[in-house]
Amino acid sequence: MKQTSLMPAPDLMLLAIIGGNLTHLILTPLLIITVSTLTRKRTVPFLDIDNEMLKSRFKSSHYWYWLATCLAGMLTILFINNSIILNTVCLISLYCVAVGLGRFGLIRPFAIAATVVVLAVHNSVQRFNLKVIDTYQFYDQLLVFAIIAALIFLLAGHSIRTYLTTKSAIEHERRDPYTGIYNLSQLKEDLNQHTKVVLIYIDLEATLSKTLCLGHKGRAQFLKNLSEHLGDRITFISRSYLPPFSSGLLCYLPVNERVNVQNEIDALLLSLKHFQFIKSGHSIELVKRSLICTEISTNNNIESIVSLLCEQYTNNRTKVLWLDSCKSSSTQVDKLSFIQEAFKNDDFELFCQPYKKLGSNNNQEYFEVLLRLNSAHQRHMIPASFFPLIFKFGLEKELDKWVVEHTFKSLNEYVINWSQIGRCSINLTATSLNFVELADQIIDYARIYSVPLNKICFEITESMALHNEDIAIQTIEKLREAGCCIALDDFGTGYASFDYLRRLPLDVLKIDGSFIKNITTNPTDVKLVQAMSQVASSMNLVTVAEFVESEQHTQILEQLDIDFAQGFGISKPLPLKTHLDQTQTANTRCA
């Protein structure tokens, strides 16, 4: 008895599969783009997201390599006659598209994916018509193409969600959590859009010092209201900025031939005069309205200039104080002479702070190299006392070179058995990473002093921005190839925490101590550290917690799967040579 097949007609199945592929890969993206363009209220700003994703990568050589690889894959599909090779090339093309999704926008990867599938389907149809492949092989290939289409859409959705989440995190990171006012990292990014500006610091010390009764929350609201007041009334102020460790606000005035600087400054003073802060039915005005201004080019060291502005004092009669940020005073000359003498006389001294591996009986030594400065007035000056001078006079490269060479020299002199050393961490400034020869110099020092680079970890402080990221990444990758590991220091408090995690090749994540020191009493800090630990674990990064001050800290960190603990609860800083001498001697006796 002849059985009746319930299988649909081959022509109908073919039409359904091809139609589904073309609809998903061509019509759906076109529909989204059209709706996003024509609709004023765009719930999914597809084009904007695509442009933002591509903006930072369009000039990168990686983009052109990726595009060339995808084009080569499409051309290859046209000339393939073997089914296995065809499916393999399609899967490779899927991988290329997956790499490009989010990294190089959305529209271009979509277009490439659509072209690949259309070419592959066209190739299969031709070979089926020529009877090069049979019906089952043909359907197998179409099934593969359908799966590729589905995966592309899943990856696209994941890329959009990841991008929006990261963007939101970066936006949140660049605002003060209490006032919502932007910080210096946002100021630096905004200044890049101009060639010359007048940077203005609004000194509010006199007012805030007399409003202590408002409490921290009240003063934060005061600053927020003032920022909104200026943004609404002063045309050149789109947003204000909150400098660290100061009592005031920053803003800037773009300078060009159409701008009358004095009139704009007068308008700002008048707006400050009219400002009132209403609290509990009472009105508070500014006690003193003082502006400290300087004209700068946007390639200046913004941190140093902001520090200079915030350090100034204005009396009650001074409304506007103009500074020449390029002029060297006698005090600056004295400071420059002081720091140059420190280099010349080797007044720096290496200290270290040991840290330990949690949940393990590992007896290897882990320590971070620290720096102290011995001056005629003070022995063992901490970095906070002299680092501003290093940055002000652009001596970061010389300092890092000194630290690396003398650290390697001490290791060569005191380390007898390298198997006892787990990791020696050395800090590198962001400025030094912008020099292409840095990695070669470090490798040369390691060869001269016979230091195995697989025992060395270089820490990049996340509180400073990388000005030339491409060169910095090249330097980092070269150091990693030589055996070093790379740590991101101060994670969570700097310019672009999550952005750095996405872009920089890293091995170690050091969680800033501000999240650790109150972890025994603050449940929020516990959750934040747990989230950081999970992120690091998903990226195969080793975690180090700073500011560990007690056994209770250690126990909580172990429960959160933190790998290492560093702080006074583990060990206080001590001279590097002393630590190496003691540990090597003790280990030698035990052996």
Side-chain angles (χ1 to χ4, degrees):
M1 181 176 179
K2 186 176 181 181
Q3 294 181 346
T4 302
S5 175
L6 298 177
M7 182 176 178
D11 292 344
L12 181 60
M13 180 180 289
L14 173 64
L15 180 62
I17 294 176
I18 294 178
N21 274 282
L22 293 178
T23 300
H24 282 296
L25 287 171
I26 299 176
L27 295 183
T28 302
L30 286 177
L31 181 61
I32 294 175
I33 294 171
T34 303
V35 172
S36 298
T37 304
L38 298 179
T39 308
R40 292 184 179 181
K41 276 192 171 183
R42 295 183 293 178
T43 56
V44 183
F46 192 86
L47 293 176
D48 292 342
I49 293 175
D50 175 73
N51 290 331
E52 290 175 11
M53 286 180 171
L54 186 63
K55 185 177 180 181
S56 62
R57 296 284 183 174
F58 187 73
K59 295 181 180 180
S60 170
S61 59
H62 296 124
Y63 169 73
W64 298 108
Y65 291 146
W66 170 80
L67 188 60
T69 303
C70 292
L71 292 175
M74 288 189 290
L75 291 175
T76 305
I77 291 173
L78 291 173
F79 304 101
I80 293 176
N81 293 319
N82 185 285
S83 300
I84 297 177
I85 297 177
L86 177 63
N87 292 338
T88 303
V89 172
C90 288
L91 290 174
I92 293 174
S93 299
L94 168 64
Y95 175 76
C96 291
V97 171
V99 169
L101 274 171
R103 187 181 179 89
F104 304 119
L106 295 172
I107 295 177
R108 288 158 186 80
F110 262 126
I112 291 171
T115 306
V116 166
V117 173
V118 169
L119 289 176
V121 170
H122 176 71
N123 187 310
S124 296
V125 169
Q126 278 190 327
R127 289 186 296 113
F128 177 73
N129 291 334
L130 295 173
K131 298 184 178 181
V132 176
I133 57 176
D134 59 27
T135 302
Y136 294 105
Q137 290 176 321
F138 180 53
Y139 288 153
D140 287 344
Q141 290 183 10
L142 291 181
L143 180 60
V144 171
F145 304 148
I147 293 173
I148 289 176
L151 287 175
I152 290 298
F153 274 91
L154 289 174
L155 288 171
H158 177 73
S159 297
I160 293 174
R161 185 177 66 177
T162 301
Y163 173 79
L164 293 176
T165 301
T166 304
K167 182 180 178 181
S168 176
I170 293 172
E171 173 74 11
H172 179 74
E173 183 180 286
R174 292 188 174 187
R175 287 180 181 266
D176 178 74
Y178 299 101
T179 63
I181 301 175
Y182 286 97
N183 57 26
L184 285 190
S185 60
Q186 185 64 51
L187 173 62
K188 292 179 68 174
E189 182 173 309
D190 292 344
L191 289 179
N192 288 334
Q193 303 173 16
H194 309 279
T195 55
K196 185 179 291 187
V197 302
V198 172
L199 193 60
I200 304 170
Y201 176 65
I202 304 171
D203 185 8
L204 302 173
E205 174 63 30
T207 302
L208 293 177
S209 63
K210 294 176 174 58
T211 56
L212 297 178
C213 58
L214 295 177
H216 187 81
K217 184 176 180 180
R219 282 177 289 165
Q221 187 63 44
F222 174 88
L223 290 171
K224 181 179 180 180
N225 288 9
L226 177 57
S227 174
E228 294 172 349
H229 172 85
L230 296 177
D232 292 339
R233 289 163 177 76
I234 305 300
T235 56
F236 68 84
I237 298 181
S238 58
R239 55 173 62 128
S240 301
Y241 309 89
L242 194 65
F245 311 113
S246 62
S247 300
L249 291 177
L250 283 169
C251 59
Y252 67 86
L253 168 64
V255 176
N256 55 57
E257 62 277 1
R258 299 188 302 273
V259 173
N260 187 313
V261 174
Q262 187 58 53
N263 288 345
E264 298 291 352
I265 295 294
D266 291 341
L268 177 56
L269 286 171
L270 184 61
S271 181
L272 292 173
K273 181 179 180 180
H274 292 157
F275 173 72
Q276 290 185 337
F277 177 65
I278 308 299
K279 179 71 173 179
S280 302
H282 299 284
S283 174
I284 301 175
E285 299 180 354
L286 297 182
V287 175
K288 184 176 71 170
R289 297 175 292 279
S290 299
L291 306 180
I292 304 169
C293 309
T294 184
E295 186 172 315
I296 64 169
S297 299
T298 54
N299 58 356
N300 290 126
N301 188 333
I302 302 303
E303 290 90 347
S304 297
I305 294 174
V306 169
S307 177
L308 180 65
L309 292 178
C310 297
E311 289 172 357
Q312 302 304 312
Y313 173 79
T314 57
N315 55 45
N316 292 327
R317 293 173 295 177
T318 304
K319 292 186 177 180
V320 181
L321 174 63
W322 283 90
L323 298 179
D324 185 354
S325 59
C326 299
K327 185 177 180 181
S328 297
S329 64
S330 58
T331 304
Q332 288 178 313
V333 173
D334 292 340
K335 292 178 179 179
L336 177 59
S337 175
F338 165 73
I339 206 68
Q340 287 178 336
E341 286 295 317
F343 279 104
K344 187 184 301 182
N345 300 328
D346 271 348
D347 290 334
F348 296 107
E349 183 177 351
L350 295 177
F351 271 54
C352 72
Q353 185 173 28
Y355 56 97
K356 74 172 184 177
K357 187 172 180 60
L358 298 176
S360 171
N361 294 323
N362 192 328
N363 293 323
Q364 289 184 311
E365 293 294 330
Y366 296 85
F367 55 91
E368 177 185 356
V369 175
L370 307 175
L371 191 63
R372 300 291 185 263
L373 176 60
N374 300 319
S375 69
H377 307 288
Q378 181 181 350
R379 182 167 175 79
H380 296 162
M381 292 173 61
I382 61 175
S385 302
F386 61 86
F387 262 35
L389 301 180
I390 297 292
F391 296 131
K392 175 178 286 188
F393 300 119
L395 298 173
E396 298 97 319
K397 181 183 175 184
E398 288 76 7
L399 182 67
D400 285 345
K401 179 180 176 182
W402 190 97
V403 171
V404 171
E405 181 179 11
H406 284 74
T407 299
F408 285 6
K409 186 176 180 180
S410 297
L411 292 172
N412 174 267
E413 182 178 354
Y414 287 93
V415 175
I416 301 171
N417 184 359
W418 278 101
S419 64
Q420 297 168 354
I421 302 296
R423 184 184 302 125
C424 169
S425 298
I426 304 173
N427 288 280
L428 290 178
T429 60
T431 304
S432 292
L433 289 172
N434 294 328
F435 291 94
V436 293
E437 68 273 14
L438 174 66
D440 291 331
Q441 289 179 346
I442 291 174
I443 294 171
D444 287 341
Y445 286 141
R447 184 178 61 254
I448 292 170
Y449 295 105
S450 301
V451 174
L453 286 176
N454 64 327
K455 299 292 184 178
I456 304 298
C457 176
F458 288 104
E459 297 186 5
I460 306 167
T461 175
E462 192 245 315
S463 57
M464 297 186 66
L466 297 174
H467 300 294
N468 193 328
E469 191 173 302
D470 288 340
I471 294 179
I473 290 176
Q474 290 177 20
T475 302
I476 291 172
E477 288 178 341
K478 195 165 186 177
L479 289 173
R480 293 183 81 207
E481 289 174 2
C484 307
C485 62
I486 304 297
L488 183 62
D489 198 7
D490 301 331
F491 178 74
T493 62
Y495 286 85
S497 302
F498 293 98
D499 216 18
Y500 276 5
L501 280 185
R502 287 193 305 134
R503 301 197 306 268
L504 299 183
L506 302 169
D507 304 287
V508 180
L509 192 67
K510 296 195 70 174
I511 301 173
D512 187 76
S514 60
F515 299 100
I516 304 298
K517 61 183 179 181
N518 298 322
I519 201 172
T520 56
T521 57
N522 191 336
T524 301
D525 284 344
V526 174
K527 293 179 181 178
L528 289 172
V529 174
Q530 184 179 28
M532 295 179 192
S533 175
Q534 291 172 349
V535 170
S537 177
S538 68
M539 300 179 68
N540 295 320
L541 299 179
V542 174
T543 48
V544 180
E546 302 174 320
F547 284 26
V548 177
E549 299 176 350
S550 67
E551 183 62 29
Q552 189 178 1
H553 282 84
T554 302
Q555 293 173 356
I556 294 175
L557 292 171
E558 283 190 37
Q559 295 171 1
L560 298 178
D561 295 326
I562 300 298
D563 298 308
F564 290 88
Q566 180 181 11
F568 283 7
I570 305 301
S571 174
K572 293 184 178 181
L574 71 163
L576 175 62
K577 293 183 178 180
T578 301
H579 175 66
L580 291 175
D581 186 40
Q582 291 175 350
T583 55
Q584 290 292 302
T585 301
N587 289 330
T588 301
R589 289 173 180 170
C590 293

